[in-house]
Each structure stands twice: as structure tokens, then as C-alpha cells.
Amino acid sequence: MSGLIGKKIGMTSIFDENGKNIPCTVIEAGPCVVTQVRTNEVDGYEALQLGFDDKAEKRASKAEVGHFKKAGVSPKKKIVEFQGFEGDFKLGDTITVEHFREGEFVDVTGTSKGKGFQGVVKRHGFGGVGQATHGQHNRLRAPGSIGAASYPARVFKGMRMAGRTGAERVTVENLKVLKVVPEKNLIVIKGCVPGHKNAYVIVQK
């Protein structure tokens, strides 16, 4: 799938032609620079490596500086490979937000917000004990029983328990592109996407 690297700006809402209020996310998508071209002859597959968001040269390793110098661009903070681009692209070419069209559907991949160590109610949606009386004593959000008896005498793998929550790679599919603003490199997408503000996301179509 072809696409672009972007940065989540935040959420807002817009009204459609019927007066309905639609929640949407604003993403700064591109401009992305082609930093490497994968070919069947050399790499065994075809893809484009895109770079996004400049970083200071002193923050880059010598290997990174040499890699970007070959493409004739400054070092980038985020690099992602995409397959499925149509057309002939060369090192140093720029791909802008005009790669997307209003009305089409995209998939957005990002890292979800980290929540830290959470209990079963927040992490898995457990209901808790659900009773305030009949001997219920400070067990309102407890996980309850986690196993059977002397058989199987163990806790099954995959048992939903408390633990580290969030900070995972998440893809939200089939989000509609509501608006493209080329002069500001912005794309407005219906619904929400994973990640905090200013988090990097990958928008694919």
C-alpha cells in the first residue's frame, strides 16, 4: 500500500452538507522525501523508503548522514518503507499530501497512548464485583477467580489480568478522507487515530 508519514496534530469536528457534526483528526502528512529506492534486481522487491521531519545533523549517526547524503537530503527523524507506489520515483523526489484525494478511504497506523500498569477494569473492561453489600469488602475492581481447582492446577495462558496497557502499534482501517489542504500539508480524516498529539503516524491507501 502506498502512503505517507505524518504527524498527528489533534482532533476537531466539522459540519457536513447535512449539518451533521463529524469528529475528525488533523494530520500533517508529508512532504516526504524519497531516501532509498528498492528494486527487484538489487533487493528482490520493489519499494520506496520515505523520510519525514528534519533533524539536526549532529543528532544523526555517521551512517545516517551518509545514507541521506546519497539522496541529497538532510537527515530525517522518521523513515518508513512503502510498497505499491505507481510511477517512476528517484532519490530526492518529494511526495506531498496531494497523494490523497477527498472521499477515499485510508488506513492509519500509530503507537497508542501508554497508560502504564492498569487493572482489569480499565485494561479489559471487567465489571468488578458489582455489589456494594453482602459482605463485599474493598473488592469492587478486583479480577476475581483466575483458575479452576486441583485440576488443571494451573492458570491458562492468555488469562486476562492487570498489566502494562497501551503503547502498542495499532492500525485503524477504512477512515474517510474529509479534506485535503495542500498549502499547509494537512489531511483531515474522519474519526480518531492512535497516538498522542505530535505522534508519528503512517497513512496508507
Side-chain angles (χ1 to χ4, degrees):
M1 296 168 71
S2 64
L4 287 177
I5 312 166
K7 187 184 281 188
K8 177 177 174 178
I9 302 299
M11 289 195 72
T12 183
S13 61
I14 59 176
F15 290 95
D16 64 4
E17 60 276 5
N18 300 319
K20 189 176 181 182
N21 193 14
I22 300 174
C24 53
T25 306
V26 181
I27 296 173
E28 181 189 345
C32 294
V33 183
V34 178
T35 54
Q36 191 172 2
V37 180
R38 302 282 193 185
T39 60
N40 275 319
E41 297 79 50
V42 178
D43 305 288
Y45 67 101
E46 291 190 352
L48 289 182
Q49 184 191 84
L50 302 184
F52 174 70
D53 212 5
D54 292 337
K55 75 174 173 182
E57 194 165 308
K58 68 178 183 179
R59 297 285 182 197
S61 66
K62 285 189 176 180
E64 287 177 330
V65 171
H67 179 73
F68 291 116
K69 198 167 280 184
K70 192 181 287 186
V73 298
S74 60
K76 304 294 179 186
K77 288 182 180 177
K78 184 74 173 174
I79 298 173
V80 179
E81 266 190 17
F82 293 92
Q83 296 183 356
F85 270 104
E86 295 176 0
D88 191 27
F89 291 94
K90 299 185 291 294
L91 283 176
D93 285 356
T94 301
I95 304 173
T96 66
V97 73
E98 293 176 273
H99 179 66
F100 299 104
R101 295 277 177 270
E102 290 183 10
E104 67 185 4
F105 291 86
V106 296
D107 297 346
V108 180
T109 302
T111 302
S112 62
K113 286 182 179 180
K115 308 283 187 184
F117 195 101
Q118 297 297 331
V120 291
V121 172
K122 187 180 183 84
R123 193 181 191 204
H124 299 296
F126 282 21
V129 172
Q131 289 178 318
T133 180
H134 290 292
Q136 195 284 113
H137 174 64
N138 69 8
R139 309 289 297 157
L140 194 62
R141 299 172 71 88
S145 170
I146 61 167
S150 56
Y151 178 83
R154 64 190 177 92
V155 177
F156 291 119
K157 284 184 177 179
M159 178 67 62
R160 294 178 299 167
M161 294 186 181
R164 289 278 285 273
T165 309
E168 295 176 324
R169 185 182 169 97
V170 180
T171 300
V172 182
E173 298 180 332
N174 296 325
L175 298 175
K176 189 175 184 180
V177 176
L178 298 178
K179 194 178 288 185
V180 177
V181 188
E183 57 271 14
K184 293 186 177 178
N185 299 313
L186 297 179
I187 180 173
V188 181
I189 294 175
K190 184 177 180 179
C192 55
V193 304
H196 55 80
K197 289 180 182 177
N198 293 320
Y200 290 116
V201 294
I202 299 167
V203 186
Q204 295 176 291
K205 68 172 184 175

